[in-house]
Amino acid sequence: MFTDSTILVILGGSKTIDLGFDETVSNNVYVWFKGNTPIDTVIGDNSRTFSNIQPNQLGTYYVKVTNPMAPQLTLRSRPITLTATPPCNPQQDRTNLINFFDAMGGNGWDKDDNWGMGNNLQNWYGIQVNAQGCVVTIDLDDNTANPDWAASPNGQGNNLIGQLPQALFNLPYLEKLFLRNNVGITGPLPNTIGDLIQLRELSLSKTGLTSAIPANIGNLYNLVYFEIDHTNISGPLPVAIGSLSALRYLEIDNNPNLNGNLPNILGNLLNLQGLYANHCDFDGPIPPGLAMLPQLNTLELQHNRLEGTVPVFSGLVLQGLRLDTNRLENLPPLMLSSLGNNPWQGLQVQMNRFTFEDILPNMGIFNSNPPSVYHQQDSIFAYDTITINVGDNLIIDLNIDDGVTNNTYTWYHQALPPNGPFNSVANSNGPNSNIFSLPNIHNTGAGRYWCEVNNPNASQLTLHSRWVLVNLNCPAPPSVLLAKSSDISCSTPTVTLTATPLAGATYAWSAGATPPTANTVFVTAAGIYTVTVTAANGCTGSAMIVVLENTTPPIASLAKSSDISCLTQVVTLTATPLAGVTYAWSAGATPVPGTNMATVTAAGTYTVTVTAVNNGCTDNATIVVSENNTPPSAEAGPPATITCASPQATLNGAGSSTGAGITYLWTTNGGNILSGATTLTPVVNEGGTYTLTVTNTSSGCTALDNVTVMENNTTTAVAGPPVTITCASPLATLNGAGSSTGAGITYQWVASSGGNILSGATTLTR
């Protein structure tokens, strides 16, 4: 019991040590030891006072506790060490202040008047000393306009920056330490805070302090005021704080990292007038001892996670009891006659888990004290899930207000899914019952249930229950089978789905099935289809089926053997694919039985429709068959004549077709072709009939033309009758009148054998 403690005392002064337990047990026997020597025996008092302390009283003590009613039990305290406070030394205090100034960035303080100047510390800003010159006050919250802590003003701080140094805790006569509003103060509060045993007022609010409040805080038995709100301290409140028997005001509010249970030993602070522990993270119950503190006038515990029963606060001088925004569940009748009328006073219990059973006995307070508030409350009951069989009776017991007869309970039901509509539902037990009953529950009874509770004597409060999820179990759900007529294909675009027919049942199909309420439906798209069958008793069964889709068409193509020409009068068309399909040809195409081919004999556009055997899907292919059977032009040219002067003739077929793929061939009947038989201009040397054949090699078409070549190479020469030259007729005229005449005929007389032509050698007569 107790804790290991080192207590600083002043020689010549006094100190009371309270063990902090069994205060109401009057027959305990307390034997005090120094070392191993008993020095005192006290009955019924768990404390001992050391008066006019002398050096021989310093040392280590412990206590053994017995009780005649429990003789087998002996309690022993942990060691308690008394150490003397050193004598007043102003020069040492000055050194400690200079070290404190340097550690806390004194050169940047907003106010540092006279710091470090002279030995009269009283002149330094924020410092006060006792008659011997030792420091008793450090007030650096920059609040000179109203320095008294009781006014609790919001100063601006003095720009202290850093962690609190040991030098601060080497001031043994310090009675007041105010550092609030200096957010630059960081780090933990050192354990050596417990060395300042003369300290009466400690303000560390609105600083950046972290970590837990040290256990040695319990050594400050003279502390009257302790303020450490709005910081970053954390962890539970130390039990040692219950040793601060002189404490009147404890402000630890707005420390969100301060957690754990409020220690029961807070009930030992019999001088406590104000406890501010709101907006922290405390949990567990409210210590019952707080309700017994005779001087307590303000208790603020709002905005924590406190739970359980509120102690009976009765007969006290409480002006303000703030318990709102916790998890408290039981509020006893309170006798509070001193409540104040300021907004922060009164009895405030809203946002807990109180019911009308808690509120109604205290309505006298709420009605007579305007700041007192009881509404709203956190939701009652607990989220729950109930699973019952279809046809059973549903019963929900709120387990509240059994002794309140005039509550009105309004129940609501929300069908699943959770975002569905909700409606009020009748309670077979009546509107004033906290037990909801629904007999012979049907499938529509599944879902969420909750309740609103009202009472005419506390009209500002409506209690809302958390919801209960009711799941229904069918002991014999309908068996459902689901069949399909086929899968989706090109030949079967609509599939029939058939669920097991069941008398009196209803059917609900997933999207895409029509009509959606029959046991036989039709679908036109692939997918997963579900049917839910609800039997007459409300039980449901479901089945699922997968409808597949095979609508992939074949890929049709069409090829031709050639186009129609003079050489090719029949063209073969060939379709693909080769297997698993059937073929349908357009008009003019003659199918070749048992094959993928057809023949055509005319130019045109031909189409084949290819149908897959397995799904009836089709694809078309088209091809154009052209026709090229136009003959070329053959022109053999004008007739020609062969003469003696011109024994050869060149025929001229230039009027014939020319161009790529055109060939020529000359043939003759009776004539003779010397050269160029495959050109347009052959050379001939005999009369006869000549034929020109012109061929278009791309189509095989030909054309013929004839030309006649005549021969003119025969003439007649008649010199006439003989004549005689005489002396009488020395000249004679020859007469070739019987010779050929006409255009182009010339004559030439030649003399031989001594003859002589006098004239007309080129005429018929000479």
Side-chain angles (χ1 to χ4, degrees), residues 329-637:
E329 294 183 349
N330 298 302
L331 181 66
L334 304 178
M335 301 287 292
L336 302 175
S337 58
S338 302
L339 293 175
N341 290 316
N342 292 312
W344 61 88
Q345 295 178 325
L347 173 62
Q348 300 192 27
V349 297
Q350 68 273 23
M351 294 312 297
N352 280 285
R353 296 177 179 175
F354 299 134
T355 66
F356 291 104
E357 204 166 37
D358 304 299
I359 300 301
L360 292 176
N362 292 288
M363 284 304 297
I365 295 175
F366 295 120
N367 289 333
S368 62
N369 181 254
S372 295
V373 181
Y374 64 88
H375 65 90
Q376 288 293 331
Q377 295 295 326
D378 188 12
S379 299
I380 58 176
F381 204 57
Y383 293 115
D384 196 8
T385 299
I386 299 175
T387 301
I388 60 176
N389 290 334
V390 170
D392 288 351
N393 295 335
L394 172 63
I395 297 176
I396 303 174
D397 189 346
L398 292 179
N399 290 313
I400 65 164
D401 293 357
D402 289 334
V404 180
T405 60
N406 60 338
N407 279 356
T408 299
Y409 298 83
T410 305
W411 287 87
Y412 294 91
H413 171 233
Q414 181 182 36
L416 296 178
N419 58 356
F422 62 90
N423 300 285
S424 60
V425 57
N427 182 7
S428 63
N429 289 337
N432 296 329
S433 175
N434 64 352
I435 299 177
F436 176 77
S437 179
L438 182 63
N440 191 24
I441 192 168
H442 195 266
N443 69 311
T444 57
R448 291 176 175 175
Y449 291 80
W450 68 92
C451 183
E452 290 182 355
V453 188
N454 292 279
N455 188 289
N457 296 328
S459 58
Q460 292 180 306
L461 175 61
T462 296
L463 299 178
H464 301 268
S465 76
R466 293 177 174 85
W467 51 257
V468 177
L469 176 61
V470 176
N471 294 322
L472 296 182
N473 177 50
C474 283
S479 177
V480 182
L481 298 177
L482 191 54
K484 60 183 177 181
S485 60
S486 64
D487 285 313
I488 301 282
S489 68
C490 295
S491 57
T492 310
T494 300
V495 171
T496 302
L497 304 182
T498 303
T500 305
L502 186 64
T506 60
Y507 300 84
W509 292 83
S510 55
T514 56
T517 57
N519 77 307
T520 297
V521 296
F522 305 97
V523 299
T524 57
I528 299 175
Y529 292 89
T530 302
V531 62
T532 299
V533 180
T534 303
N537 65 354
C539 291
T540 61
S542 62
M544 178 188 72
I545 198 168
V546 177
V547 175
L548 303 176
E549 183 178 43
N550 182 3
T551 55
T552 302
I555 300 176
S557 65
L558 195 55
K560 60 186 177 180
S561 59
S562 65
D563 285 312
I564 292 176
S565 67
C566 295
L567 293 176
T568 306
Q569 299 298 314
V570 177
V571 173
T572 299
L573 305 181
T574 302
T576 58
L578 183 61
V581 295
T582 61
Y583 309 94
W585 297 89
S586 57
T590 302
V592 178
T595 70
N596 60 333
M597 295 181 290
T599 59
V600 298
T601 58
T605 300
Y606 294 90
T607 300
V608 64
T609 299
V610 180
T611 302
V613 175
N614 65 342
N615 62 10
C617 297
T618 62
D619 191 26
N620 296 324
T622 300
I623 198 168
V624 176
V625 176
S626 301
E627 186 176 49
N628 186 6
N629 56 5
T630 301
S633 174
E635 292 290 339

Side-chain angles (χ1 to χ4, degrees), residues 631-637 653 655-657 664 692-694 702-706:
S633 174
E635 292 290 339
S656 302
S657 298
Y664 311 99
L692 172 61
T693 301
V694 180
T702 62
L704 304 176
D705 193 24
N706 298 321

Side-chain angles (χ1 to χ4, degrees), residues 82-173:
L82 298 185
T83 301
T85 301
C88 177
N89 187 340
Q91 189 59 38
Q92 185 61 47
D93 280 7
R94 184 184 190 281
T95 299
N96 287 322
L97 287 179
I98 291 298
N99 291 338
F100 171 70
F101 180 86
D102 293 339
M104 302 305 295
N107 291 328
W109 290 1
D110 295 335
K111 292 185 178 180
D112 59 355
D113 300 352
N114 299 320
W115 272 73
M117 299 176 62
N119 293 322
N120 188 356
L121 304 181
Q122 182 73 29
N123 294 331
W124 293 16
Y125 171 75
I127 302 299
Q128 294 181 13
V129 300
N130 60 14
Q132 291 77 35
C134 284
V135 176
V136 295
T137 296
I138 298 178
D139 188 350
L140 296 176
D141 70 351
D142 193 17
N143 191 29
T144 55
N146 196 347
D148 185 5
W149 63 263
S152 192
N154 292 321
Q156 299 300 313
N158 199 40
N159 200 30
L160 275 68
I161 297 176
Q163 297 191 20
L164 297 176
Q166 178 58 42
L168 178 63
F169 308 105
N170 292 336
L171 301 170
Y173 290 88

